[in-house]
């Protein structure tokens, strides 16, 4: 693979990482959906580039599935969910934004140090992307555990899957197509189930704060 394509894939990985940082600092739910959509576009581009360089046609199909699910279908479903629930802001966070960003920086440093020995053994097109993917996963997990509302946690879960998919694409040239189709179906079903779950929380407690679920222990 030419150095130009390697640098381009690493650039797309850096964009994915910057979007993950933007998501952990964002309180507006609508903006979170837009950032997730941008992550999907970046992931589609990276998958198509790796498919072109490695001459693996199944990566083009993976890119197409990712585009349909994460750029079109899932964002549309999330928009409908927040419209029906009438939510726009996620003000409550368990940790303030500056502290969250500092923890995020430490997680990125940890991710690159952890992935470095593994990346040096990889003959893939962009070995540095493994650290980026791991950092994206950990940042998404950080957002999941620091948000008190259900909708941002769903978006964080989907963003975590983006990091895993980027690692599979750039570090191992993609997973078998059967596995990719199964994961895509699982993600879609998961979003639908979580949507129903959020509606039930809102109907019972008139709020999407997951701390209300603790009340169910007493019933």
């Amino acid at each position: 693979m030419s150095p130009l394509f390697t640098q381009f894939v690493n650039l797309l990985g850096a964009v994915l990482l910057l979007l993950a940082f933007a998501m952990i600092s964002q309180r507006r739910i609508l903006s979170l959906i837009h950032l997730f959509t941008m992550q999907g576009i970046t992931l589609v581009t990276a998958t198509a580039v790796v498919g072109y360089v490695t001459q693996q046609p199944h990566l083009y199909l993976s890119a197409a599935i990712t585009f349909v699910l994460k750029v079109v279908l899932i964002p549309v479903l999330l928009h409908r969910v927040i419209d029906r629930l009438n939510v726009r802001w996620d003000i409550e966070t368990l940790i303030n934004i500056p502290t969250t960003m500092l923890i995020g920086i430490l997680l990125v440093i940890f991710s690159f140090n952890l992935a470095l020995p593994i990346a040096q053994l990889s003959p893939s097109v962009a070995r540095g992307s493994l650290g980026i993917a791991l950092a994206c996963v950990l940042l998404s997990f950080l957002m999941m555990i620091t948000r008190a509302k259900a909708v941002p946690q769903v978006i964080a879960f989907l963003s975590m899957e983006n990091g895993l998919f980027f690692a599979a694409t750039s570090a191992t040239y993609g997973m078998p197509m059967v596995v990719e189709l199964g994961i895509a179906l699982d993600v879609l079903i998961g979003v639908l189930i979580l949507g129903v779950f959020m509606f039930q929380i809102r109907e019972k407690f008139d709020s999407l704060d997951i701390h209300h679920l603790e009340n169910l222990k007493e019933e």
Side-chain angles (χ1 to χ4, degrees), residues 120-135:
Q120 290 177 343
L121 300 176
S122 174
S124 61
V125 294
R127 294 182 296 178
S129 61
L130 186 60
I132 295 175
L134 180 58

Side-chain angles (χ1 to χ4, degrees), residues 147-181:
R147 299 302 173 100
K149 304 286 180 150
V151 177
Q153 290 187 345
V154 172
I155 298 175
F157 169 77
L158 295 171
S159 178
M160 185 183 300
E161 200 273 336
N162 283 344
L164 294 173
F165 191 88
F166 180 72
T169 300
S170 58
T172 65
Y173 303 150
M175 298 170 286
M177 182 53 58
V178 174
V179 177
E180 293 179 5
L181 291 174

Side-chain angles (χ1 to χ4, degrees), residues 178-191:
V178 174
V179 177
E180 293 179 5
L181 291 174
I183 292 176
L185 181 61
D186 289 342
V187 169
L188 181 58
I189 293 175
V191 171

Side-chain angles (χ1 to χ4, degrees), residues 15-159:
V15 172
L16 204 67
L17 183 58
L18 289 175
L19 290 172
F21 260 109
M23 292 174 75
I24 66 174
S25 64
Q26 183 59 246
R27 292 183 175 181
R28 187 173 173 83
I29 295 178
L30 189 60
S31 298
L32 280 177
I33 298 177
H34 292 159
L35 290 170
F36 172 76
T37 305
M38 293 173 65
Q39 269 196 341
I41 295 173
T42 305
L43 194 60
V44 168
T45 305
T47 305
V49 169
V50 174
Y52 173 77
V53 174
T54 60
Q55 299 298 316
Q56 298 193 52
H58 78 276
L59 290 179
Y60 292 116
L61 181 56
S62 297
I65 294 173
T66 302
F67 178 82
V68 172
L69 282 178
K70 299 184 179 180
V71 180
V72 179
L73 187 56
I74 291 179
V76 169
L77 291 175
L78 290 174
H79 277 290
R80 290 186 177 180
V81 166
I82 65 172
D83 285 340
R84 291 189 59 182
L85 295 175
N86 193 25
V87 291
R88 289 293 184 273
W89 291 86
D90 177 41
I91 300 175
E92 299 179 11
T93 56
L94 302 179
I95 305 176
N96 61 57
I97 297 301
T99 303
T100 302
M101 296 295 288
L102 179 60
I103 296 175
I105 294 173
L106 295 177
L107 287 176
V108 171
I109 297 174
F110 171 77
S111 300
F112 276 92
N113 288 330
L114 182 63
L116 183 60
I118 302 174
Q120 290 177 343
L121 300 176
S122 174
S124 61
V125 294
R127 294 182 296 178
S129 61
L130 186 60
I132 295 175
L134 180 58
C136 291
V137 171
L138 292 181
L139 289 175
S140 299
F141 183 73
L142 176 64
M143 185 175 75
M144 184 182 297
I145 65 177
T146 56
R147 299 302 173 100
K149 304 286 180 150
V151 177
Q153 290 187 345
V154 172
I155 298 175
F157 169 77
L158 295 171
S159 178

Side-chain angles (χ1 to χ4, degrees), residues 184-200:
L185 181 61
D186 289 342
V187 169
L188 181 58
I189 293 175
V191 171
L192 295 176
I193 293 174
L194 289 171
V196 174
F197 177 66
M198 286 185 290
F199 281 117
Q200 289 179 342

